[in-house]
Amino acid sequence: MPDDPLEGVFNIEDRFYQQGYKQGLEDGTAAGRAEGRSFGMQKGFEKFAESGRLASRAVVWANRMPRKEDPAGATGPEEEESTAAAAAAAGAAQERCRLPPLASNARLDKNIRLLYALVEPDTLSTENTDEAVQDFDDRVKRAQGKAKVVERMVG
């Protein structure tokens, strides 16, 4: 028996299905990687923006805390020059924008320092491993809680 000349016509639907499936799989793989990379960059930016916002708030709160005076009162010549430069820069900054100082409170000071330690930019990992991402998310979540505590204490 010779091959049926209409066999190709009868199997055309199956051929098109297989060809479309193969092409869709290839296109989906390429598009999925590009979309995944874009989504990952977006989420990474959002996370680091939040950590930066929390770190900035901690710095502002820390600068509003009353300064502790040096009990010895002795400074070296290098410290005097850097202190004078810092005081001049701080004086210029204070003339531009003056925020009211916060009440002296050891608990508040401790919470502000802990908040900054949690989101300090130099200590946050930018690795893309499960452990590093989990650590980053945990630290930001704890920092958000500390920020709420500080907000309530500041008023």
Side-chain angles (χ1 to χ4, degrees), residues 65-105:
M65 291 297 292
R67 300 277 181 228
K68 295 178 182 176
E69 298 299 325
D70 185 16
T75 58
E78 298 87 16
E79 292 175 3
E80 287 179 9
E81 288 176 12
S82 65
T83 304
Q94 287 178 350
E95 289 175 13
R96 285 183 268 153
C97 178
R98 205 171 261 244
L99 293 173
L102 299 175
S104 181
N105 183 340

Side-chain angles (χ1 to χ4, degrees), residues 13-26:
E13 181 181 354
D14 189 46
R15 274 195 338 220
F16 284 149
Y17 174 81
Q18 293 297 330
Q19 183 182 4
Y21 178 81
K22 182 180 174 186
Q23 186 179 5
L25 190 62
E26 291 170 359

Side-chain angles (χ1 to χ4, degrees), residues 9 17 25 30-31 36 41 43 81 83 91 94 113 119-120 122 129 143:
V9 175
Y17 174 81
L25 190 62
M41 294 291 281
K43 287 299 173 187
E81 288 176 12
T83 304
Q94 287 178 350
R113 289 179 189 276
V119 290
E120 186 175 6
D122 293 338
T129 62

Side-chain angles (χ1 to χ4, degrees), residues 35-115:
E35 187 176 326
R37 184 176 304 262
S38 174
F39 183 72
M41 294 291 281
Q42 177 186 356
K43 287 299 173 187
F45 177 80
E46 289 172 4
K47 288 179 180 185
F48 272 96
E50 176 66 13
S51 70
R53 186 183 68 81
L54 291 169
S56 300
R57 293 175 78 185
V59 168
V60 169
W61 283 326
N63 286 320
R64 290 178 60 193
M65 291 297 292
R67 300 277 181 228
K68 295 178 182 176
E69 298 299 325
D70 185 16
T75 58
E78 298 87 16
E79 292 175 3
E80 287 179 9
E81 288 176 12
S82 65
T83 304
Q94 287 178 350
E95 289 175 13
R96 285 183 268 153
C97 178
R98 205 171 261 244
L99 293 173
L102 299 175
S104 181
N105 183 340
R107 185 172 169 236
L108 176 62
D109 187 47
K110 178 183 170 188
N111 282 319
I112 291 172
R113 289 179 189 276
L114 184 56
L115 169 61

Side-chain angles (χ1 to χ4, degrees), residues 54 115 139-150 152:
L54 291 169
L115 169 61
R139 287 176 63 181
V140 169
K141 190 172 188 173
R142 288 176 42 210
Q144 288 171 332
K146 283 294 174 192
K148 287 180 183 179
V149 168
V150 172
R152 289 184 184 125

